[in-house]
């Protein structure tokens, strides 16, 4: 199993390198030559979802181009740093340069396409909290030096408002996973620890009695999914390890995940689902989460069986997925990152 996984990790990396890290994205439907930018927001959302769920040729039809995304480069940089992987055609310095070139004037990072969401919208020219987190995390863990950190810290502190970090712009809609990632990113940047702790307290107050978190606060945001829950739990895990008080929030959240997302044959996407999902990003995020828990645990082997099970499921899904090359940010990069964390957690070099 280990040898097969090593080969898979190398194939994932080389496939992205061979395409110069350029691919489509599940949510790039508004970036084509033909776009519904003048349509009402709700119709734009339906358009994006239709492109996301449709065949690849639709993107060619409406003129969507493959792009190299800073968040893809960030996940690969973190994966290379964590897994000590080597490629003749890419180095940590090259990946870092890709990321740093995309840092925006306000200090943050964004996606390379316009996005229309249930709670709001942002453009390809606009920084957002999720992309900024991935880039800050990767540059920090890869020990990349420079003034990027000071600029990112300024952006993150400017996004803090009313006890939470705003996802994008001045939109005050509370998106729980984004705010938690913002708190961890600010810590990575050496920001105000009082702000970080205040954001953690907000996440605690937002936690449901059963231990889960809705996606956000507002109409139509009361769903709970797997990978956004993983984002919160990963962030709280690392904040606690670095001395922040996360109260009983982390324990309650872990219990909720176990009771509401884990099935005998896999993982659910939404907590309300009855069957296991085939979404690669969902398994990758869970594998990374359990691997980080193992790395932080003083009990060797606590999550060994779960990690090995997720590696096997993820490997099977990847082998059957015919569209890996079209979705690096959502599939290949998080899969590589998770696999590398898993190998480190299992003590594999």
């Amino acid at each position: 199993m280990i040898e097969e996984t090593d080969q898979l990790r190398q194939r994932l990396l080389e496939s992205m390198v061979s395409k110069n890290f350029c691919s489509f994205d599940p949510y790039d439907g508004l970036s084509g030559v033909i776009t519904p930018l003048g349509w009402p927001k709700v119709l734009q959302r339906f358009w994006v979802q239709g492109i996301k769920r449709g065949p690849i040729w639709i993107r060619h039809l409406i003129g969507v181009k493959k792009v190299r995304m800073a968040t893809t480069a960030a996940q690969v940089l973190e994966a290379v740093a964590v897994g000590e992987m080597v490629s003749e055609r890419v180095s940590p310095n090259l990946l870092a340069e890709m990321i740093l070139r995309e840092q925006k004037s306000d200090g943050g990072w964004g996606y390379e396409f316009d996005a229309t969401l249930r709670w709001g919208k942002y453009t390809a020219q606009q920084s957002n909290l999720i992309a900024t987190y991935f880039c800050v995390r990767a540059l920090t863990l890869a020990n990349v030096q420079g003034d990027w950190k000071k600029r990112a810290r300024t952006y993150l502190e400017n996004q803090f408002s009313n006890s939470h970090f705003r996802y994008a712009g001045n939109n005050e809609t509370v998106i729980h996973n984004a705010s938690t990632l913002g708190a961890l990113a600010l810590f990575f940047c050496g920001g105000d620890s009082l702000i970080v702790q205040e954001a953690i307290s907000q996440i605690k107050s937002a936690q449901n009695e059963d231990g889960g978190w809705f996606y956000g606060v507002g109409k139509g945001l009361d769903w709970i999914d797997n990978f956004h829950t993983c984002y919160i739990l990963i962030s709280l895990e690392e904040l606690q390890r670095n001395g922040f008080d996360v109260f009983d929030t982390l324990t309650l959240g872990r219990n909720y995940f176990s009771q509401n997302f884990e099935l005998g044959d896999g993982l659910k996407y939404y907590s309300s689902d009855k069957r296991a999902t085939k979404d690669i990003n969902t398994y990758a995020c869970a594998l990374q989460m359990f691997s980080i828990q193992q790395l932080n645990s003083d009990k060797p082997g606590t999550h060994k069986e779960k990690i090995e099970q997720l590696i096997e499921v993820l490997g099977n899904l990847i082998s059957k997925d015919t569209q890996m090359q079209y979705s690096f940010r959502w599939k290949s990069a998080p899969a590589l990152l998770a696999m590398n964390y898993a190998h480190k957690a299992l003590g594999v070099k």
Side-chain angles (χ1 to χ4, degrees):
M1 178 180 177
I2 295 301
E3 182 178 351
E4 292 175 355
T5 307
D6 281 339
Q7 293 174 356
L8 176 58
R9 293 161 66 219
Q10 201 63 44
R11 286 202 306 273
L12 285 170
L13 177 60
E14 293 301 328
S15 69
M16 289 184 280
V17 172
S18 68
K19 303 292 184 182
N20 198 23
F21 300 99
C22 293
S23 74
F24 295 124
D25 190 87
Y27 298 94
D28 60 9
L30 296 178
S31 64
V33 176
I34 301 173
T35 64
L37 292 178
W39 293 6
K41 186 176 74 171
V42 65
L43 295 181
Q44 291 184 26
R45 282 175 39 213
F46 281 126
W47 173 279
V48 170
Q49 288 296 320
I51 302 301
K52 174 186 174 183
R53 299 166 191 272
I56 292 299
W57 61 261
I58 294 180
R59 286 180 166 81
H60 296 294
L61 182 66
I62 66 173
V64 174
K65 302 295 184 183
K66 294 180 182 178
V67 295
R68 183 171 62 201
M69 300 184 63
T71 43
T72 297
Q75 291 180 88
V76 176
L77 174 59
E78 183 180 353
V80 169
V82 169
E84 301 179 351
M85 297 187 73
V86 177
S87 171
E88 295 180 355
R89 292 184 290 173
V90 67
S91 67
N93 287 340
L94 178 61
L95 290 164
E97 288 174 7
M98 290 181 188
I99 299 166
L100 292 173
R101 280 199 300 267
E102 300 304 319
Q103 189 174 23
K104 300 187 183 302
S105 59
D106 63 4
W109 283 265
Y111 294 136
E112 287 71 9
F113 49 83
D114 294 349
T116 298
L117 310 170
R118 297 189 188 192
W119 54 267
K121 63 186 300 183
Y122 51 85
T123 69
Q125 289 73 44
Q126 188 175 10
S127 297
N128 71 71
L129 214 58
I130 307 299
T132 299
Y133 160 78
F134 277 110
C135 294
V136 165
R137 181 185 179 97
L139 293 170
T140 301
L141 297 182
N143 198 30
V144 177
Q145 303 299 310
D147 67 350
W148 67 266
K149 186 172 290 188
K150 180 179 179 181
R151 295 167 59 202
R153 182 168 68 242
T154 298
Y155 166 75
L156 289 163
E157 291 181 344
N158 286 339
Q159 286 303 108
F160 188 73
S161 174
N162 297 321
S163 299
H164 75 280
F165 288 89
R166 295 180 298 230
Y167 191 119
N170 295 320
N171 191 311
E172 293 289 347
T173 303
V174 180
I175 307 299
H176 298 310
N177 77 91
S179 186
T180 319
L181 294 178
L184 182 56
L186 184 59
F187 164 72
F188 283 142
C189 289
D192 190 335
S193 61
L194 294 178
I195 292 178
V196 175
Q197 189 63 61
E198 187 174 349
I200 295 172
S201 296
Q202 191 274 333
I203 290 299
K204 172 179 170 56
S205 66
Q207 191 172 31
N208 300 330
E209 289 185 3
D210 61 5
W213 289 271
F214 294 136
Y215 176 75
V217 178
K219 184 178 180 180
L221 301 179
D222 57 348
W223 80 86
I224 304 177
D225 67 36
N226 189 314
F227 73 92
H228 286 121
T229 301
C230 287
Y231 286 172
I232 294 176
L233 295 177
I234 288 172
S235 299
L236 292 176
E237 175 88 24
E238 301 206 37
L239 288 166
Q240 181 183 61
R241 183 171 63 87
N242 285 284
F244 290 93
D245 186 0
V246 302
F247 314 104
D248 58 352
T249 306
L250 182 57
T251 299
L252 291 173
R254 286 175 177 173
N255 291 339
Y256 179 87
F257 188 93
S258 177
Q259 295 168 11
N260 292 272
F261 289 113
E262 296 183 41
L263 294 170
D265 59 346
L267 299 171
K268 294 191 289 185
Y269 189 99
Y270 291 107
S271 59
S272 58
D273 288 345
K274 303 300 181 183
R275 297 180 180 178
T277 181
K278 295 182 179 180
D279 180 65
I280 286 173
N281 185 59
T282 294
Y283 285 92
C285 289
L287 177 57
Q288 182 183 357
M289 179 184 71
F290 282 115
S291 298
I292 290 174
Q293 287 181 19
Q294 181 63 70
L295 288 166
N296 293 338
S297 174
D298 56 1
K299 298 179 180 179
T302 302
H303 299 292
K304 181 176 183 293
E305 184 176 344
K306 182 139 343 253
I307 290 170
E308 290 178 340
Q309 178 189 31
L310 288 173
I311 288 175
E312 183 175 1
V313 174
L314 188 56
N316 288 336
L317 288 173
I318 291 171
S319 67
K320 297 175 183 177
D321 194 308
T322 60
Q323 297 187 354
M324 291 292 294
Q325 64 176 311
Y326 299 116
S327 188
F328 290 162
R329 179 184 74 93
W330 196 261
K331 295 183 179 182
S332 301
L336 175 65
L337 179 59
M339 291 274 188
N340 283 6
Y341 267 105
H343 272 233
K344 186 174 183 179
L346 294 175
V348 180
K349 300 297 184 180

